[in-house]
């Protein structure tokens, strides 16, 4: 089985995030792999480990892919630490500041290119539910649509079907909980309830340090790339005035009354 | 210049559309500021729903007619709901598609946008025309620390809008000027929308509609939210009591949900809320949680640790045991109300 995991490097959520010319400035000192993508890597590892046939397990391949500037290597390295074998970063000036559609188009081109090499087709693409910087939660669905593959998103459980050629997932959204099934190849996104990402062991951490990341440019994916021209552009970005801390009172038996009176005086009751 | 056409999805949990969520009325109010408004439904709207939509100046309701061979639960697959939006957008030559901001609708909007070759903006906090054909969409990003404006020039544009972005407001009959005429006394006409479904390889084996919090407003759209964290220590009673006194929704942190104390949480990987009043009880104020509440009007906190980060972003805070403070607050409000009535 060939599994591709999409990973993204994002700034630490507690860091001061900065925008320049409508784009997020990615400071390599304060970032990490998008936490939901750790769950995606873990799901990939578990899918392969659950294969009943030892040969199938041995011949399986987990590839991590990111479309990002060089800081994206940090996400690939994290995937290496967890157990991914191959890592690819797609980088090109032409791909700077892509919108949702552009990102999905370039990711789709990379998937097509991988599927056309002589190592066999990609069976599953695994992603996180959302990237904690953009918070769009749309890339998995858009990538599936670009590829014409079924989408099994918002999965809190993923398992290979008994036939070995389909996936069963539990999809949970605000509307409903659904049991879904679809044939491979498919795009899957996982929630943080899907699994517990493993801690990398020392051996893997050391190995990941020196393991190279393949770099693809626009020319490498161009034959597989359709329209990726921007449809959305950021025309303005400004710092939102921070919230100012208000009064804090210590409860000495009347704290609830004080709280209620605050609401009443503000006309909020 | 001809009026732009704004198309929006009217969600309904059941086959028959017999209620309109407040978030939908907000969406219609916003849509009306952009052009004439058409809505899409999956089922037949009731007479009451049509009358209400008329008050909001909706021009027409497009009721999707899917091939009868498609079973009910299969109709709600993302690809099929996107096909409905695409069919409606093509039929009415929509300039803008507006959808609610939940996870499911974001994906429907995303797939529809690709099929329509449209630009997509999610999590909108404001939408306006900058010039004819040039849509400007405001959005708060990075945990509420930045305000951005995205520009979309595609025809159509697809936008998912956060709840509480505008206040829902009907127009007086005959005042709006656009919806009157077509349906007589402002009642929108209902048209069948024929939808061809592209092949879809996803099969729904079972579907369970999530239980709504009975008798309380939806968390996403409530104007008051009282949320509990690990500090409630297993008992959401005080949180629910204050929420009910204030007519609000109950929320939680992820930790409280993972403990099994409540079912839905607020934050980056959960629900985003923007109520007029947000009360955080026994919640420390970690970034993953608070980035889901930054659009709130007033943030109030009750926490027994005076160093809890939640106080740094609160308009008002009480350092104390929530099990004592919340019931007392609820009681004070009840007494105040009784005093006013008596
Ligand atoms: C604050 C902010 C707001 C934005 N708003 C918009 C907007 O409204 N419209 C618009 O068109 N663009 C927007 N963008 C651009 C958009 O974020 C990028 O296209 C981004 O690469 C994908 O969106 P996301 O981070 O929200 O991904 P999500 O859809 O939240 O990501 C889900 C998963 O997809 C995978 N993934 C996402 N991006 C990549 C990548 N580059 N490489 C590998 N895997 C990936 C990961 O597995 C991730 O967990 C915005 C960007 C920012 C920073
Ligand atoms: C990838 C990822 C995504 C996440 N997404 C989310 C998300 O979407 N939403 C979310 O909420 N979290 C999310 N989290 C978890 C988040 O980081 C925090 O761990 C969580 O929000 C903390 O919950 P809490 O405030 O209830 O618990 P704690 O941080 O343990 O805080 C409990 C607070 O209760 C106070 N307290 C204790 N007893 C009392 C009492 N009797 N009276 C009053 N106060 C009391 C304590 O002083 C403390 O401040 C995410 C984490 C990760 C890694």
């Amino acid at each position: 089985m060939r599994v591709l995991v999409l990973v993204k490097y994002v700034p630490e959520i507690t860091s001061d995030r900065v925008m320049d010319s409508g784009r997020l400035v990615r400071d390599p000192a304060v970032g990490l792999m998008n936490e939901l993508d750790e769950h995606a890597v873990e799901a990939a590892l578990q899918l392969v480990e659950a294969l009943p046939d030892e040969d199938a397990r041995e011949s399986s391949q987990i590839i991590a892919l990111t479309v990002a500037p060089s800081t994206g290597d940090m996400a690939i390295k994290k995937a290496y630490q967890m157990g991914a074998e191959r890592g690819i970063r797609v980088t090109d000036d032409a791909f700077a500041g892509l919108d949702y559609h552009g990102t999905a188009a370039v990711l789709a081109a990379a998937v097509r290119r991988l599927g056309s090499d002589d190592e066999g087709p990609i069976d599953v693409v695994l992603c996180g539910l959302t990237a904690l910087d953009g918070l769009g939660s749309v890339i998995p669905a858009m990538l599936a649509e670009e590829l014409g593959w079924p989408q099994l998103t918002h999965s809190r459980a993923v398992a290979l079907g008994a036939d070995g050629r389909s996936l069963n997932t539990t999809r949970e959204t605000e509307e409903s909980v659904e049991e879904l099934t679809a044939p491979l190849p498919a795009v899957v996104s996982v929630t943080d309830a899907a699994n517990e990402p493993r801690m990398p062991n020392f051996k893997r951490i050391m190995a990941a340090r020196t393991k190279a990341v393949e770099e693809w440019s626009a020319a490498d994916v161009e034959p597989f790339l359709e329209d990726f021209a921007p449809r959305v552009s950021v025309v303005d970005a400004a710092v939102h005035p921070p919230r100012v801390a208000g009064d804090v009172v210590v409860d000495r038996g009347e704290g609830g009354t004080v709280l209620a009176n605050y609401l009443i005086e503000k006309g909020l009751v | 210049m001809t009026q732009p056409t704004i198309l929006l999805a009217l969600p309904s949990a059941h086959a028959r559309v017999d209620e309109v969520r407040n978030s939908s009325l907000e969406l219609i109010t916003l849509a009306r500021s952009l052009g004439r408004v058409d809505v899409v439904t999956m089922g037949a709207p009731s007479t009451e729903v049509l009358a209400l939509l008329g008050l909001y100046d909706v021009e027409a309701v497009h009721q999707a007619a899917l091939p009868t061979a498609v079973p009910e639960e299969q109709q709600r697959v993302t690809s099929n709901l996107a096909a409905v939006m695409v069919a409606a957008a093509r039929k009415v030559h929509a300039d803008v598609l507006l959808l609610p901001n939940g996870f499911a609708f974001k994906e429907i909007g995303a797939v529809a946008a690709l099929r329509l070759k449209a630009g997509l903006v999610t999590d909108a906090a404001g939408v306006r025309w900058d010039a004819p054909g040039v849509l400007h969409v405001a959005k708060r990003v990075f945990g509420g620390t930045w305000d951005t404006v995205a520009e979309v020039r595609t025809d159509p544009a697809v936008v998912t809008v956060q709840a509480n972005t505008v206040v829902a407001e009907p127009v007086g009959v005959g005042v709006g000027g656009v919806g009157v005429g077509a349906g007589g006394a402002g009642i929108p006409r209902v048209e069948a929308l024929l939808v061809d479904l592209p092949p879809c390889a996803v099969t729904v084996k079972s579907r369970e509609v999530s239980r709504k919090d009975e008798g309380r407003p939806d968390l996403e759209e409530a104007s008051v939210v009282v949320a509990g964290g690990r500090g409630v220590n297993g008992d959401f009673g005080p949180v629910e009591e204050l929420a009910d006194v204030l007519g609000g929704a109950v929320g939680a942190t992820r930790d409280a949900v993972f403990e099994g104390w409540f079912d839905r949480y607020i934050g980056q990987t959960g629900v985003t809320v923007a109520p007029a009043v947000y009360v955080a009880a026994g919640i420390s104020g970690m970034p993953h949680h608070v980035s889901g509440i930054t659009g709130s009007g007033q943030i109030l906190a009750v926490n027994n640790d005076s160093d809890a980060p939640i106080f740094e972003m609160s308009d008002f805070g009480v350092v104390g045991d929530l099990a004592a403070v919340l019931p007392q607050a609820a009681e004070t409000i009840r007494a105040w109300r009784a005093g006013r009535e008596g």
Side-chain angles (χ1 to χ4, degrees), chain A residues 179 192 233 240 243 262, chain B residues 122 147 151 205 254 296 298:
Chain A
E179 298 297 328
D192 49 0
S233 55
H240 188 83
R243 277 184 178 269
Y262 179 86
Chain B
T122 59
D147 291 309
E151 182 172 287
K205 290 186 292 185
R254 188 177 79 155
S296 305
Q298 290 272 324

Side-chain angles (χ1 to χ4, degrees), chain A residues 6-8 19 24 26 34 36-37 40 65-68 98-101 103 107 126-140 232, chain B residues 120-122 139 141-142 148 150:
Chain A
L6 303 188
V7 297
K8 189 179 180 191
M19 293 188 87
L24 175 59
R26 288 171 204 276
N34 178 40
L36 270 303
D37 299 347
L65 170 71
T66 191
V67 174
L98 291 172
D99 64 3
Y100 292 148
H101 158 250
T103 304
L107 288 168
L126 271 158
C127 336
L129 160 76
T130 192
L132 296 177
D133 55 348
L135 284 177
S137 306
V138 291
I139 293 299
V232 173
Chain B
L120 167 72
V121 183
T122 59
K139 102 183 224 181
V141 302
F142 304 139
T148 62

Side-chain angles (χ1 to χ4, degrees), chain A residues 13-14 17-19 24 35-36 100-101 129-130 132-138 141-142 145-146 150-154 168 171 173-183 192-193 231-241 243-251 253-264 266 268-269, chain B residues 21 78 102-104 106-107 110-111 114-115 117-123 136 139-140 142-154 201-210 220 246 254 264-265 268-269 277 287-288 294 296-300 302 311-320 325 328-329 332-333 336-337:
Chain A
I13 162 168
T14 47
R17 287 166 288 185
V18 178
M19 293 188 87
L24 175 59
E35 286 158 298
L36 270 303
Y100 292 148
H101 158 250
L129 160 76
T130 192
L132 296 177
D133 55 348
L135 284 177
S137 306
V138 291
M142 294 175 92
E145 180 69 16
E146 289 273 348
Q151 51 167 290
L152 298 167
T153 53
H154 295 253
N168 299 323
R171 168 180 166 89
T173 64
E174 62 276 26
E175 303 279 323
S176 60
V177 178
E178 295 167 318
E179 298 297 328
L180 304 179
T181 184
D192 49 0
R231 294 171 182 174
V232 173
S233 55
V234 178
V235 290
D236 198 14
V239 175
H240 188 83
R243 277 184 178 269
V244 186
D247 287 345
V248 176
V249 300
V250 177
D251 176 36
E254 71 324 318
T257 305
V258 177
L259 182 72
N261 286 338
Y262 179 86
L263 286 167
I264 291 167
K266 292 262 173 199
L268 296 166
V269 174
Chain B
R21 296 181 193 172
T78 305
F103 284 124
K106 276 186 171 185
E107 291 186 337
V111 172
L114 282 185
R115 292 183 189 166
K117 300 200 184 306
L120 167 72
V121 183
T122 59
D123 310 280
H136 274 194
K139 102 183 224 181
R140 293 270 293 276
F142 304 139
T145 56
W146 283 76
D147 291 309
T148 62
V149 178
E151 182 172 287
V152 195
R153 290 168 175 271
T154 54
V202 177
T203 306
V204 182
K205 290 186 292 185
S206 71
R207 179 170 202 270
E208 202 180 306
V209 176
S210 300
E220 289 86 350
L246 294 169
R254 188 177 79 155
R264 302 189 64 205
Y265 65 88
Q268 283 202 313
T269 49
V277 180
H288 287 113
T294 47
S296 305
Q298 290 272 324
I299 297 178
L300 313 187
V302 180
F311 288 126
E312 288 161 28
M313 58 172 319
S314 299
D315 297 284
F316 189 72
V318 177
V319 180
V325 174
Q328 189 182 57
T332 307
I333 293 166
W336 175 76
R337 281 210 186 110

Side-chain angles (χ1 to χ4, degrees), chain B residues 63 160 172 278 315:
Chain B
Q63 186 189 331
T160 68
Y278 181 82
D315 297 284

